[in-house]
Amino acid sequence: MNKNITTPNTICCFIAAPLHSPSLLRAIKRLGISVYGQPPMAPLPKTISVLKDAQAISLMQDQDTAVMINWEESLSFILHNLPKQRLNQVNTFKNKAIFRRLFKDLYPDLFYRELTRNALEDFKFPREIDKVVLKPSIGIASIGVRVVHGQQEWDQAVDLVLEDIDRATKQMNYTVLSDSFFLVEEFVDGEEFACDGFWDKNGKTIITGIYQHPFLSKSDVSDTVYYTSKQVVAKTIEPTMEVMNYIGAKLGICRFPFHFEFRLSSNGTLFPIELNPLRFGGDALPDTIEYAFGFNPYELFFTDKSPDWNSLLANLDTSKIYASIIAGLPPHYTPEKYLIDQESFRNIFGNRLLNYLPIDPTISPFFGVAHIVADRIEDVLEYLHLEFDSFIHPCFEPTPIKLAL
């Protein structure tokens, strides 16, 4: 699949983030992709050359340039330099309230409200709704997201959401996380999934990977476990393609990567949650696809090619489970007071471990990600019960020595 690769003339990859996907770095080096580095970020290999500001801006402003980012923080620079059409497309996706309006015709009966921060305390549940999702209109990584069961839980949920956002905005730019506007929407039951892909040069939807995102409970919104397999892709790819084709046709998008999150009900109805523009999944999630299916998702985007899913999904009963396990930092963690036992966390995966990547906790709400392979889904779901507190230890100051006088 990777032979005779030809790279489009204008591609710019904006790299930041507390860790870098090995799959992304391999694709960049193999194809000679133009890179612009944005702090804060983990160090880049010396073999990757980095553009100057003026070079990156010039590339971005070319309407034909395909832009990719690997972390939401890159948007703070990009939004000031994108051509107007692409900027409007990004803003449609980045603002969850605008994104919800995009699907109003497909889901006319779905309840949702857009609220300012000051209006949160006055919100009243409609009589026919007993469970909603509250989330910031501009957000990332499930920060400030709460499932609220009835009016009696509302006030406490609002306080927790605002605390989450206030804590996270000390590390994040307002362009990726804001407490100014919120979306309240009806909770739709179903299994949750995430999808990476892009619209190609002709506006055709290309799916590069689909992951199931299980939770420990109905109120859990953590990003601890994502997994993929032939079965996961096979049961979701058709409805996902339908919705992404709808978006692409409505907005006229091409050469545009995305990370799409959705829920699939028991009757097979797909319900869009959000779409993160110009990127695939963060924290090296697409590497899971390379382990599972043998192709590099980033190379496909850079070369504007599609995976052969018909061949890849043959023999469904032979599939193993490939997963990404992300270690979240407890709310009380501060780098001044605690040490992270990376080795102990890494070792819990034993011979299931394919790769482990530590994450810089000073610029991320996570401290590590493990890529694993398992024979049974039960072996993956057990990691939902991880207690990350057990890998965080206090820094003990040395006891002062009293000198005899």
Side-chain angles (χ1 to χ4, degrees):
M1 181 175 290
N2 293 328
K3 294 180 179 180
N4 302 318
I5 290 175
T6 56
T7 306
N9 293 328
T10 48
I11 297 175
C12 191
C13 185
F14 292 79
I15 288 194
L19 88 160
H20 304 310
S21 155
S23 292
L24 175 58
L25 296 182
R26 281 195 297 271
I28 287 170
K29 289 189 285 187
R30 177 171 165 77
L31 301 173
I33 300 300
S34 298
V35 169
Y36 179 77
Q38 293 179 269
M41 68 174 182
L44 283 171
K46 293 181 179 179
T47 52
I48 293 178
S49 58
V50 180
L51 298 171
K52 303 292 186 182
D53 287 13
Q55 294 173 302
I57 291 171
S58 178
L59 259 181
M60 248 194 304
Q61 292 178 342
D62 185 335
Q63 189 69 44
D64 294 326
T65 296
V67 173
M68 169 171 270
I69 65 177
N70 75 326
W71 198 37
E72 290 284 318
E73 290 287 320
S74 297
L75 284 175
S76 59
F77 175 78
I78 289 174
L79 292 178
H80 290 95
N81 296 289
L82 281 176
K84 184 176 181 180
Q85 180 184 16
R86 184 136 295 187
L87 177 63
N88 290 340
Q89 292 167 347
V90 169
N91 286 333
T92 296
F93 299 130
K94 191 57 202 156
N95 188 305
K96 294 179 177 62
I98 298 175
F99 180 67
R100 181 59 58 226
R101 289 179 226 148
L102 182 66
F103 292 99
K104 190 171 183 179
D105 292 341
L106 288 182
Y107 307 94
D109 299 326
L110 181 75
F111 168 82
Y112 74 93
R113 289 286 183 275
E114 301 168 42
L115 300 174
T116 64
R117 176 172 179 151
N118 292 336
L120 288 174
E121 62 183 25
D122 297 324
F123 173 75
K124 303 298 180 186
F125 270 63
R127 291 182 179 178
E128 68 277 11
I129 303 295
D130 61 5
K131 186 163 55 174
V132 299
V133 179
L134 169 63
K135 54 189 172 183
S137 293
I138 297 176
I140 183 177
S142 301
I143 298 168
V145 178
R146 284 290 186 282
V147 178
V148 189
H149 301 75
Q151 191 70 49
Q152 68 277 8
E153 291 186 8
W154 179 258
D155 290 340
Q156 182 184 13
V158 168
D159 290 341
L160 292 172
V161 163
L162 295 178
E163 287 175 11
D164 284 352
I165 297 174
D166 289 344
R167 182 168 54 248
T169 48
K170 294 175 183 177
Q171 299 174 314
M172 295 182 175
N173 191 283
Y174 72 93
T175 59
V176 299
L177 181 64
S178 172
D179 66 351
S180 298
F181 297 94
F182 292 82
L183 184 67
V184 183
E185 62 186 18
E186 179 181 350
F187 181 87
V188 177
D189 282 315
E191 298 176 307
E192 189 162 313
F193 297 85
C195 168
D196 288 332
F198 59 94
W199 291 283
D200 71 7
K201 64 182 179 181
N202 298 314
K204 178 184 176 182
T205 301
I206 306 297
I207 302 298
T208 60
I210 301 179
Y211 323 85
Q212 188 145 358
H213 183 192
F215 297 102
L216 187 59
S217 67
K218 291 289 186 181
S219 58
D220 181 20
V221 293
S222 69
D223 288 329
T224 304
V225 175
Y226 288 84
Y227 68 87
T228 192
S229 65
K230 290 182 181 181
Q231 291 88 345
V232 167
V233 177
K235 75 178 180 180
T236 55
I237 192 166
E238 288 188 10
T240 305
M241 287 286 291
E242 290 179 10
V243 172
M244 302 316 290
N245 285 337
Y246 171 86
I247 297 173
K250 195 162 187 176
L251 299 181
I253 303 181
C254 60
R255 294 301 281 134
F256 194 109
F258 60 77
H259 178 69
F260 176 51
E261 298 176 9
F262 63 92
R263 197 167 286 120
L264 199 66
S265 68
S266 56
N267 64 7
T269 300
L270 186 150
F271 171 75
I273 299 173
E274 63 181 55
L275 187 147
N276 296 287
L278 300 182
R279 69 174 178 89
F280 292 163
D283 298 310
L285 182 60
D287 294 52
T288 315
I289 295 296
E290 187 165 10
Y291 286 119
F293 296 104
F295 65 84
N296 187 317
Y298 293 102
E299 283 193 1
L300 293 186
F301 171 68
F302 292 146
T303 58
D304 207 36
K305 294 182 178 180
S306 173
D308 182 1
W309 285 117
N310 288 333
S311 297
L312 291 167
L313 298 180
N315 301 317
L316 288 179
D317 56 346
T318 63
S319 180
K320 290 181 177 290
I321 312 296
Y322 294 82
S324 174
I325 314 297
I326 307 175
L329 290 167
H332 62 269
Y333 170 82
T334 59
E336 300 81 14
K337 295 181 179 180
Y338 293 91
L339 296 173
I340 299 171
D341 190 348
Q342 296 274 3
E343 191 65 20
S344 291
F345 179 66
R346 183 185 189 279
N347 289 340
I348 66 172
F349 302 103
N351 60 10
R352 293 175 185 164
L353 186 69
L354 297 168
N355 193 26
Y356 180 71
L357 300 167
I359 302 177
D360 184 346
T362 65
I363 54 175
S364 172
F366 309 108
F367 69 80
V369 57
H371 294 111
I372 67 166
V373 61
D375 293 320
R376 305 179 310 145
I377 185 58
E378 293 81 7
D379 298 331
V380 172
L381 297 181
E382 69 182 37
Y383 297 115
L384 288 171
H385 298 272
L386 284 170
E387 295 288 346
F388 296 117
D389 272 357
S390 63
F391 305 103
I392 309 294
H393 307 303
C395 299
F396 294 105
E397 296 183 359
T399 303
I401 299 174
K402 294 182 179 180
L403 299 176
L405 298 177

